Amino acid sequence: MTVPLDRIPLAEHADVYATLARAGFTDLWSSEVNGADAFTPLALAAAWQPGLRLGTAVAPVFTRGPALLAMSAAALAEAAPGRFALGIGASSPVVVQGWNATPYVEPYRRTRDVLRFLRAALAGETVDEAYPTFTVGRFTLDRPPAVPPPLLLAALRPGMLRLAGAEADGVILNWLAAGDVPQALAQVQPSRPGFEVVARIFVCPTEDAAHARALGRRLIAGYLTIGAYAEFHRWLGRAEQLGPMWRAWAAGDRRGAAAAVPDDLVDELVLHGSPQRCREQVARYVAAGVRVPVLAVLPTPELVAGGAAALADLVTRLGPPDGSDSATAGEPA
């Protein structure tokens, strides 16, 4: 499950995490855009639910210095030994440059260099190296984790997907349909044993299709007009399907851009229907090669009206029926 959940204060997430664990969820994965940072919700979970696996999806490689990113990861790996995975990614010009006043330059090379730096630093090595995109002078973690976290790479297009396969311990996919997974994974060709495939999957568990599609169109217009995501979907073969949305967005017509997103694309990228129907659709990602499907639950009329009780019922019905049908002990559900 993607955490934290919307409209619930972090201080009240102890009950949320306990409910997720009882429902059979095995993993909590954070994100980092303009809400909570990637590490704080997981640090709370490390203390409140010591049986759950934790992961960042993702911590941007531009918005922290390399040493600070290593320290944050090492601290969480120490708090949750053997249960934390560090997912990193390039993020976007809006997040990096627009909001964090950091130039968004050469994202592929910066991501590669941070990945290589973290591999050395989290292993307890002294790093004294001029990477192509930054220089680190004699940095050593004072508290290197006893169990260095696996390093996962968020990737969309072929270059980054190949980098993930060659140098990371796993890949994190986002904003793709189940049918797109084989095309993405064909580029990965992992070189490390135990390589993980993680995918964030947007789920709107309601049978109010009009609500789900309206929300999905807004999200798709907001995300798939960003450069890297737009190019990703061009590579996936959706240039004609998304052309009207892109043209409206470029003309400054945000409402028209959302209206131009076809229903069949919303239905592929934002899963909706009953919780059982959503689970069946998530299973298609697993069948296509995703080992860790990470649900991102979107607000529904039922959740808004029902509050905490509706949330508890929902996650119970979204999780494995007996807590084990889609995962063995210690493996992600």
Side-chain angles (χ1 to χ4, degrees), residues 135-209:
T135 298
V136 173
R138 296 199 60 76
F139 172 76
T140 310
L141 278 170
D142 187 53
R143 301 170 68 102
V147 183
L151 302 176
L152 281 64
L153 186 61
L156 297 174
R157 287 177 290 165
M160 203 74 85
L161 289 164
R162 289 192 291 267
L163 176 63
E167 299 195 31
D169 301 304
V171 65
I172 300 170
L173 308 173
N174 193 21
W175 277 113
L176 80 172
D180 299 325
V181 173
Q183 182 174 339
L185 295 187
Q187 300 292 323
V188 175
Q189 300 180 9
S191 62
R192 292 174 177 270
F195 189 89
E196 289 199 284
V197 177
V198 178
R200 174 161 282 121
I201 303 168
F202 292 91
V203 177
C204 191
T206 179
E207 297 189 69
D208 184 343

Side-chain angles (χ1 to χ4, degrees), residues 14-321:
D15 289 341
V16 172
Y17 295 160
T19 298
L20 289 169
R22 286 194 301 270
F25 286 88
T26 59
D27 286 39
L28 303 177
W29 290 77
S30 61
S31 61
E32 188 169 287
V33 184
N34 61 346
D37 71 285
F39 293 97
T40 302
L42 302 185
L44 293 171
W48 290 337
Q49 285 294 325
L52 292 176
R53 186 175 185 240
L54 314 172
T56 59
V58 296
V61 298
F62 284 99
T63 53
R64 296 173 182 80
L68 179 57
L69 183 54
M71 287 187 285
S72 297
L76 195 43
E78 183 178 343
R83 297 189 293 113
F84 170 60
L86 176 64
I88 60 171
S91 192
S92 72
V94 171
V95 172
V96 173
Q97 193 160 301
W99 298 345
N100 284 284
T102 300
Y104 190 77
V105 179
E106 298 187 290
Y108 172 86
R109 299 212 305 163
R110 171 76 176 202
T111 303
R112 178 201 60 199
D113 294 347
V114 170
L115 178 65
R116 292 173 178 175
F117 163 78
L118 289 170
R119 179 77 67 194
L122 291 168
E125 299 176 17
T126 296
V127 182
D128 187 26
E129 186 163 348
Y131 296 92
T133 57
F134 59 86
T135 298
V136 173
R138 296 199 60 76
F139 172 76
T140 310
L141 278 170
D142 187 53
R143 301 170 68 102
V147 183
L151 302 176
L152 281 64
L153 186 61
L156 297 174
R157 287 177 290 165
M160 203 74 85
L161 289 164
R162 289 192 291 267
L163 176 63
E167 299 195 31
D169 301 304
V171 65
I172 300 170
L173 308 173
N174 193 21
W175 277 113
L176 80 172
D180 299 325
V181 173
Q183 182 174 339
L185 295 187
Q187 300 292 323
V188 175
Q189 300 180 9
S191 62
R192 292 174 177 270
F195 189 89
E196 289 199 284
V197 177
V198 178
R200 174 161 282 121
I201 303 168
F202 292 91
V203 177
C204 191
T206 179
E207 297 189 69
D208 184 343
H211 169 88
R213 286 172 176 159
L215 181 54
R217 280 193 290 270
R218 291 196 298 271
L219 285 171
I220 289 169
Y223 271 91
L224 302 194
T225 51
I226 296 170
Y229 285 106
E231 291 304 316
F232 177 46
H233 281 268
R234 287 190 179 95
W235 176 66
L236 290 172
R238 294 199 174 97
E240 183 176 349
Q241 192 176 27
L242 287 170
M245 181 194 75
W246 289 328
R247 288 190 291 272
W249 190 273
D253 183 2
R254 303 298 189 251
R255 185 172 297 177
V261 179
D263 283 349
D264 58 348
L265 181 60
V266 177
D267 295 346
E268 284 190 281
L269 298 179
V270 178
L271 311 187
H272 58 91
S274 68
Q276 174 63 27
R277 173 61 180 151
C278 290
R279 291 181 69 253
E280 292 168 357
Q281 294 175 83
V282 169
R284 294 181 58 228
Y285 285 84
V286 176
V290 171
R291 181 173 181 265
V292 188
V294 180
L295 308 188
V297 174
L298 303 176
T300 70
E302 297 87 350
L303 285 176
V304 172
L311 175 65
D313 177 65
L314 170 66
V315 299
T316 299
R317 290 192 290 150
L318 276 175

